[in-house]
Amino acid sequence: MEHEEYARYDAVGLAELVGSGEVSPGELLNTARARAAEVNGRINAIVADVEPPQARAGGGAFAGVPFLIKDLGQDLAGYPTTGGSRALARVPAPENATVVQRWLDAGLSIFGKTNTPEFGAKGITESHLLGPARNPWDTDRTPGGSSGGSAAAVAAGIVPCAGASDGGGSIRIPASACGLFGLKVSRGLIPSGPASGEPLGGTATHGVVSRTVRDTAAMLDVLCGPDPTSPYLPAMPAQSFASAVGREPGRLRIAVCTASSINPTPDSEALAAAASAAELLSDLGHDVVQLDTQPYDDAALARDFLTSWFAYCAYSVDEAKRISGSGDEGFEPDTLLMAALGRATRPVDLIRSIENRHQHVRRLAEFHEHHDLLLTPTTATAPPRIGAFDVAPRLLQAQKALLKARSAGLLRFTPIVEQMISDNLGWVPYTQLANLTGRPAMTVPLHWTPDGLPLGVQFVGRLGADSDLLTLAAQLEAARPWADRRPTALGG
């Protein structure tokens, strides 16, 4: 099969071709690998090749479809899961992650692992170990993070759908940056075992980035549901997620808010993306209102998010050292800085940040009493250029000096922390809400800038509204199709 024909199909469509005997799994894999060989040198999306494990007998929902997994939290037995860290580059995973096993059971042909920043800690994908992933729409720009490699691979046409995960926007940010659809599901729907029960204290979840809504829906039918190692028994919908695609969503009450105290001046294109989406929703018969102020305190939420994140980073570094025997030389300076901030956090402050999540949940629940969905831009700007968030040499030297002196308590009183907050959250101030509250949220690719860069819009729903989000996404997809839009920077 030639790439031009291959790229016309989504994952569901390719699986149907395999099922009917029109194409073999081997042909699809060869086509995917040929496309990777053609473009990956320019986007650095795939950072490790793997030999596809033996498919299970009887096929599966996606039998023979080429697939990539993220090099973070998606362990494939026998291969390192580096998490973008030098410390873990030679530590093979002892077993498959639950989600990886479910993808294998569905018949997917996993042939590579995708680029991610160290420990998924940033909304960009530029690790020292793996190098920067690049956006197929403009290779001088980031594909976002932390699932940036997966999003770049899908946008470039290597695979129609790829493994991703989301702890603060890491599915939605790269999907927005690469013109794709991305859904972060409600807390607890997708298991994270067997090595970890609740990554990031339950704020993170696995998933996919895809070109079509039906691919994401069908993937959720593969991924969702309890596992013996799950901490909870999730409330599964009465019908499959796939059946949500094509249903009428009814008349929804949708509130639009572009305000952010983290970034009080979103880019004009972010505002245009939200306004255009609001107009489309009104044309489709939904009730749309504009909010001048946020229905939640995003500054407080950001502090709580980062307090937990820094502590988790300290844990991640310590675990990586324990597993690998590495010293500080195995980690990036920014990671060591965040870990030092985590170690300097008082236990009572960490517990307070975790307990504060309930207040954010209550504020959002009060909002949802009157509105079905919250609509925001997914990001406050178009995808930044590669290297835009590199630490200035002067601050880098100060950072190294403080770390060497182990003056972690002083770090909070330096400009380094403020710059990290600005860099990490300034262009992505909208996405952490869904993670801390456990609510489902999706990004829909409805807007491109005059320069041809994607910039998605985000919808946040009530707990358990995953199917409702898919139903609305399918309606938007039918009204303003995006799956056939292709980046021209790579050709093909």
Side-chain angles (χ1 to χ4, degrees), residues 191-219:
S192 296
S196 175
E198 290 189 283
L200 270 177
T203 63
T205 186
H206 293 284
V208 296
V209 288
S210 67
R211 289 209 319 264
T212 66
V213 177
R214 74 170 187 171
D215 268 3
T216 290
M219 281 290 179

Side-chain angles (χ1 to χ4, degrees), residues 150-408:
S150 290
V154 174
I158 297 173
V159 288
C161 184
S165 58
D166 193 315
S170 292
I171 286 174
R172 290 158 288 152
I173 294 165
S176 171
C178 292
L180 306 174
F181 178 69
L183 172 66
K184 183 209 81 72
V185 298
S186 294
R187 181 175 181 175
L189 276 179
I190 298 176
S192 296
S196 175
E198 290 189 283
L200 270 177
T203 63
T205 186
H206 293 284
V208 296
V209 288
S210 67
R211 289 209 319 264
T212 66
V213 177
R214 74 170 187 171
D215 268 3
T216 290
M219 281 290 179
L220 293 187
D221 286 326
V222 167
L223 292 175
C224 289
D227 177 81
T229 65
S230 297
Y232 311 110
L233 183 66
M236 297 293 291
Q239 297 177 300
S240 69
F241 290 106
S243 69
V245 178
R247 288 204 306 253
E248 283 298 317
R251 187 168 184 165
L252 300 174
R253 299 166 298 169
I254 302 171
V256 183
C257 185
T258 59
S260 166
S261 58
I262 302 171
N263 187 340
T265 56
D267 188 84
S268 60
E269 287 301 319
L271 303 180
S276 176
E279 182 178 1
L280 176 59
L281 290 162
S282 294
D283 291 344
L284 292 170
H286 300 293
D287 295 325
V288 181
V289 298
Q290 181 74 42
L291 299 182
D292 294 327
T293 58
Q294 297 165 318
Y296 65 101
D297 186 342
D298 74 332
L301 185 138
R303 288 193 298 271
D304 293 329
F305 174 79
L306 289 174
T307 297
S308 298
W309 178 260
F310 292 154
Y312 184 79
C313 191
Y315 165 79
S316 298
V317 168
D318 286 358
E319 275 296 286
K321 287 181 175 180
R322 182 185 67 81
I323 293 169
S324 67
S326 174
D328 283 353
E329 73 283 354
F331 307 92
E332 298 175 19
D334 280 0
T335 301
L336 293 174
L337 173 61
M338 287 186 279
L341 288 167
R343 294 188 193 96
T345 300
R346 297 186 307 163
V348 67
D349 291 332
L350 175 59
I351 297 302
R352 182 178 294 112
S353 74
I354 294 171
E355 291 297 321
N356 284 348
R357 294 178 189 177
H358 183 60
Q359 299 307 316
H360 304 308
V361 168
R362 290 189 66 180
R363 292 285 295 273
L364 193 54
E366 290 167 1
F367 164 83
H368 279 133
E369 289 177 3
H370 306 286
H371 308 282
D372 295 303
L373 298 170
L374 174 64
L375 167 62
T376 74
T378 305
T379 64
T381 74
R385 294 190 178 277
I386 301 292
F389 301 136
D390 288 352
V391 177
R394 177 177 58 83
L395 288 177
L396 182 61
Q397 290 304 314
Q399 172 181 314
K400 289 180 177 178
L402 285 168
L403 287 170
K404 186 175 181 180
R406 302 201 179 277
S407 303

